[in-house]
Amino acid sequence: KQEVTQIPAALSVPEGENLVLNCSFTDSAIYNLQWFRQDPGKGLTSLLLIQSSQREQTSGRLNASLDKSSGRSTLYIAASQPGDSATYLCAVEYYGNNRLAFGKGNQVVVIP
Amino acid sequence: EAQVTQNPRYLITVTGKKLTVTCSQNMNHEYMSWYRQDPGLGLRQIYYSMNVEVTDKGDVPEGYKVSRKEKRNFPLILESPSPNQTSLYFCASSFLGASKGTDTQYFGPGTRLTVL
């Protein structure tokens, strides 16, 4: 079964610290991997998309890396701010699947 | 503004009363999809569509129907809702790449459905 795992389920960090969120997947035949942000009761906002041929993507304070051989992706958020408090979801699309397999998310609280 | 819209945003209904949740996108995306989100289970795909008149089952299609008669619209139909369909529902859309995989997926704001 093609599973996506995000551990820990919840974490808190003091403002200004760098955030490191991990995502692992069981099948290396991925088409792409996306990181999303979800605020409570709201929809999902795409943060970064990494194609299978890429190793990383960057947008502002966010950087996501992809290592297919080890089945891992990492989302780095530099110099975290209270506004970064949200749930971060990792989702993988596998070849020939046309569906996103989601992890259950990392609930992040940035403490002022 | 590029967006995915869903209606209604909140709905309380009773068991067995047919309902439709609409989804519309203005980005000319080929791909559209429905997900449900439940505590402890995360997001799971219900149905998806690769283009007009092309739909396929996701991971949890039982009790749902969809149609794709126009490119911009992808309604979700519950013909006889049951309490276990109480959930938060999201519609999403995307372009398709050359390999027919999706690109960045854009999500609607969600529809919170309660079936009594």
Side-chain angles (χ1 to χ4, degrees):
Chain A
K1 186 178 178 183
Q2 295 166 331
E3 293 186 346
V4 179
T5 304
Q6 294 181 253
I7 297 172
L11 67 158
S12 299
V13 297
E15 182 178 359
E17 270 200 13
N18 296 331
L19 261 170
V20 180
L21 304 177
N22 293 306
C23 170
S24 61
F25 45 93
T26 54
D27 188 339
S28 63
I30 70 169
Y31 180 77
N32 63 41
L33 183 146
Q34 294 185 58
W35 282 94
F36 293 89
R37 169 185 172 138
Q38 185 176 28
D39 293 289
K42 301 288 180 66
L44 280 70
T45 301
S46 180
L47 297 173
L48 290 167
L49 178 146
I50 312 177
Q51 300 288 355
S52 64
S53 58
Q54 298 173 320
R55 296 298 300 268
E56 67 175 349
Q57 280 284 355
T58 298
S59 176
R61 293 185 294 114
L62 276 60
N63 174 276
S65 64
L66 174 64
D67 185 342
K68 286 193 302 178
S69 62
S70 65
R72 295 188 68 175
S73 175
T74 301
L75 178 67
Y76 297 90
I77 303 177
S80 60
Q81 304 168 356
D84 294 328
S85 299
T87 297
Y88 292 84
L89 294 156
C90 169
V92 175
E93 180 172 346
Y94 293 97
Y95 273 106
N97 215 342
N98 295 120
R99 65 186 70 171
L100 288 180
F102 279 87
K104 293 182 180 175
N106 303 115
Q107 186 176 6
V108 172
V109 174
V110 179
I111 304 165
Chain B
E1 179 190 355
Q3 60 183 350
V4 179
T5 57
Q6 295 179 227
N7 283 292
R9 294 289 314 281
Y10 302 91
L11 179 59
I12 301 174
T13 189
V14 295
T15 298
K17 186 176 181 182
K18 182 179 178 179
L19 66 91
T20 299
V21 184
T22 64
C23 172
S24 182
Q25 50 91 7
N26 63 0
M27 296 169 278
N28 202 35
H29 286 163
E30 301 96 342
Y31 179 92
M32 297 186 74
S33 179
W34 277 101
Y35 298 87
R36 61 178 289 175
Q37 186 175 34
D38 301 289
L41 296 176
L43 276 146
R44 294 175 293 167
Q45 191 183 53
I46 303 170
Y47 268 96
Y48 66 97
S49 169
M50 300 285 279
N51 214 325
V52 175
E53 302 292 0
V54 180
T55 63
D56 208 347
K57 297 177 181 178
D59 298 313
V60 287
E62 295 78 19
Y64 304 94
K65 285 178 58 177
V66 293
S67 68
R68 187 93 180 271
K69 293 182 170 33
E70 305 165 285
K71 196 172 187 179
R72 64 183 292 126
N73 296 323
F74 190 45
L76 179 70
I77 303 158
L78 285 72
E79 298 225 330
S80 183
S82 61
N84 65 12
Q85 293 178 299
T86 293
S87 186
L88 181 57
Y89 290 86
F90 291 103
C91 179
S93 71
S94 167
F95 286 117
L96 286 173
S99 305
K100 296 304 180 186
T102 65
D103 198 66
T104 299
Q105 293 208 15
Y106 294 84
F107 279 70
T111 295
R112 187 165 293 281
L113 171 66
T114 301
V115 183
L116 302 174

